[in-house]
Amino acid sequence: MSDIAAIMQTAPVIPVIVIDDVGQARPLAEALVAGGLKVLEVTLRTPAALDAIRAMKDVDGAIVGAGTVTGPETYHAAREAGSEFIVSPGLTESLAKTIARDGIPFLPGIATAGDIMRGMDMGLSHFKFFPAEAAGGRPALKALAAPFHEAKFCPTGGISEETAADWLAIDPVLCVGGSWVAPRGGTDYAAIEDAARKASLLGSGGAA
């Protein structure tokens, strides 16, 4: 997919995945996709992450991207591994320009109105609200989103199975990022598929 909006609307939850053992990457991706979560964010926090992206790319139906991309160097490594979209914890001009040149879907992290305004100056309108709970939770995002009617969001950071639906009920929220569906080191793939199926059914309609 070449459109970050389409990626964000594929499913209500994007699993935020930390992989330590590349051998777990493919069965994990298969379980998540079977459960209805096709968009997979592999965070570049471990030595196995890039190989995990390569392995997950072989799973039919998976849309695999890289998270925790912090600069052009990690971006190029993620692209070489086959990442189809890029997620960053923040927004810098150098990273945004580098990604824009390649036309890769980009979801930069924001936490303030100034972040959103800088992103819009760069032609961006879709953002990750991060760290969602630590940055003020749902009241903060509602207040931030109010002046920026064209902006859409994917809150990530501290969101759980219990709170995801409340976040998704906020009108400009297209999806949420969460680690609960794919806990680090988890190998109970039947349970992961079940969690993914429940997450894929979460609604995103209506304002809160």
Side-chain angles (χ1 to χ4, degrees):
M1 288 189 180
S2 60
D3 183 349
I4 193 63
I7 288 172
M8 291 171 71
Q9 293 177 87
T10 299
V13 177
I14 297 177
V16 178
I17 300 165
V18 181
I19 289 282
D20 295 291
D21 178 0
V22 70
Q24 296 174 1
R26 185 183 179 98
L28 176 60
E30 289 173 342
L32 291 167
V33 171
L37 301 184
K38 296 181 179 182
V39 179
L40 312 177
E41 177 192 337
V42 180
T43 65
L44 302 186
R45 299 178 187 176
T46 69
L50 294 173
D51 285 336
I53 289 170
R54 295 184 180 98
M56 289 180 168
K57 284 271 294 176
D58 288 337
V59 174
D60 188 41
I63 303 165
V64 187
T68 323
V69 175
T70 56
E73 184 177 342
T74 49
Y75 163 68
H76 289 305
R79 283 289 293 138
E80 189 175 336
S83 299
E84 297 175 74
F85 64 94
I86 300 295
V87 183
S88 67
L91 176 60
T92 66
E93 188 172 354
S94 63
L95 180 60
K97 284 184 174 179
T98 300
I99 295 173
R101 280 196 294 268
D102 291 343
I104 302 304
F106 179 37
L107 188 65
I110 60 88
T112 68
D115 291 341
I116 298 172
M117 291 168 70
R118 281 190 295 275
M120 289 186 161
D121 282 348
M122 298 175 199
L124 302 168
S125 60
H126 291 68
F127 304 98
K128 175 173 81 165
F129 178 51
F130 177 81
E133 289 291 353
R138 296 187 297 277
L141 180 56
K142 291 177 187 178
L144 274 176
F148 305 106
H149 301 294
E150 61 271 55
K152 304 297 180 184
F153 300 93
C154 174
T156 305
I159 295 172
S160 67
E161 181 179 7
E162 291 74 28
T163 63
D166 293 331
W167 282 98
L168 289 163
I170 300 172
D171 192 51
V173 169
L174 299 183
C175 60
V176 300
S179 59
W180 81 88
V181 289
R184 186 172 186 170
T187 57
D188 186 344
Y189 301 116
I192 289 169
E193 181 179 338
D194 184 59
R197 187 169 291 108
K198 290 177 182 176
S200 72
L201 297 174
L202 290 170
S204 58

